[in-house]
Amino acid sequence: MSKSEERRERIAAFLKRVDALSDSERTVLRKSGGRLLKDADAAALMVFYKALGNFEEPAFQDRMFPIACMYCMWDKETAQEDQTPLAAAMGQYASEKRRREGSVKWNESEKTDPMERRLIKLLDQRWDTDGMLCLSVWRMVKMLKNEGKVINMVFLGEDFCLWNAGSKSVQCRWAEEFYRANKEEEKNVD
């Protein structure tokens, strides 16, 4: 088993333990959305560590806290539905919005649509103690959830774990997924 597969299995097992939490405990986590573990209140910490289980690595814990909070945005049944990687959901949303509104209000100086600009800003951020990346991703996930998208939190958790890698493989894959989903959505309309 590769490291990536092992990591995904660990994240999936963690999310199953989050599913086992009571509705009130899931609400506590949901209310901490957009925050880092170090900024969580005591109630959220207690619920998080209850679900965490035997993960001792501090870096893994830091990345899983926002994943748990975002995962709790969906009810237990919806979270198991057809899930989309975040970047692909962003691409689909951009294309759907263009189709609904007829055209995108372009920023003339940048020649990009609003969702593309958001993705560019997101990909330029680092996972850091300031929590800006976490907050930006949470806002994006919340917006997409309101549009009816279900984000694959296992993949997002793995991406968080690998975000600061020197190769920027996560950022490259996100850009590729965004444009592929955008093109596929446009092709489906034609």
Side-chain angles (χ1 to χ4, degrees):
M1 180 181 299
S2 72
K3 278 188 173 186
S4 181
E5 291 170 332
E6 182 182 321
R7 188 182 301 111
R8 281 195 296 266
E9 279 187 16
R10 289 175 64 191
I11 295 168
F14 166 63
L15 293 177
K16 284 184 181 179
R17 290 191 297 275
V18 171
D19 278 337
L21 296 171
S22 69
D23 289 342
S24 61
E25 289 170 326
R26 290 174 56 88
T27 299
V28 167
L29 284 177
R30 184 176 61 246
K31 288 182 178 181
S32 291
R35 294 188 189 132
L36 294 175
L37 181 61
K38 71 178 185 66
D39 300 323
D41 62 20
L45 287 174
M46 296 294 287
V47 172
F48 173 69
Y49 282 110
K50 177 180 178 181
L52 190 62
N54 60 356
F55 298 121
E56 290 111 25
E57 305 155 26
F60 193 83
Q61 293 175 15
D62 288 342
R63 301 316 202 268
M64 288 306 103
F65 180 74
I67 293 298
C69 296
M70 288 185 276
Y71 184 72
C72 290
M73 292 167 63
W74 289 271
D75 60 49
K76 294 174 187 179
E77 293 76 32
T78 305
Q80 304 305 317
E81 290 178 6
D82 185 30
Q83 301 174 349
T84 307
L86 180 58
M90 291 170 69
Q92 291 168 357
Y93 173 78
S95 182
E96 289 167 3
K97 187 171 182 180
R98 266 197 304 277
R99 186 176 62 238
R100 276 194 315 262
E101 296 177 2
S103 68
V104 172
K105 294 179 177 78
W106 294 92
N107 179 329
E108 288 302 318
S109 65
E110 295 181 29
K111 301 288 186 209
T112 57
D113 71 36
M115 187 59 72
E116 187 176 0
R117 284 194 309 275
R118 283 182 170 185
L119 179 65
I120 290 168
K121 283 183 182 178
L122 198 63
L123 297 181
D124 280 339
Q125 293 180 3
R126 290 188 48 79
W127 184 276
D128 206 349
T129 57
D130 65 2
M132 292 308 297
L133 175 65
C134 179
L135 183 61
S136 297
V137 170
W138 176 76
R139 286 178 177 155
M140 185 63 60
V141 168
K142 186 175 179 184
M143 182 194 73
L144 292 169
K145 188 237 181 225
N146 290 339
E147 291 293 321
K149 305 282 186 206
V150 181
I151 304 303
N152 188 316
M153 288 296 152
V154 172
F155 288 154
L156 185 57
E158 182 177 33
D159 290 346
F160 275 8
C161 289
L162 301 172
W163 191 266
N164 287 345
S167 65
K168 295 197 176 260
S169 59
V170 172
Q171 290 85 338
C172 290
R173 187 171 34 77
W174 279 33
E176 183 182 335
E177 287 175 0
F178 175 84
Y179 289 110
R180 183 182 313 124
N182 201 333
K183 294 289 185 201
E184 287 174 8
E185 187 68 31
E186 287 174 1
K187 195 184 305 181
N188 291 339
V189 171
D190 296 336

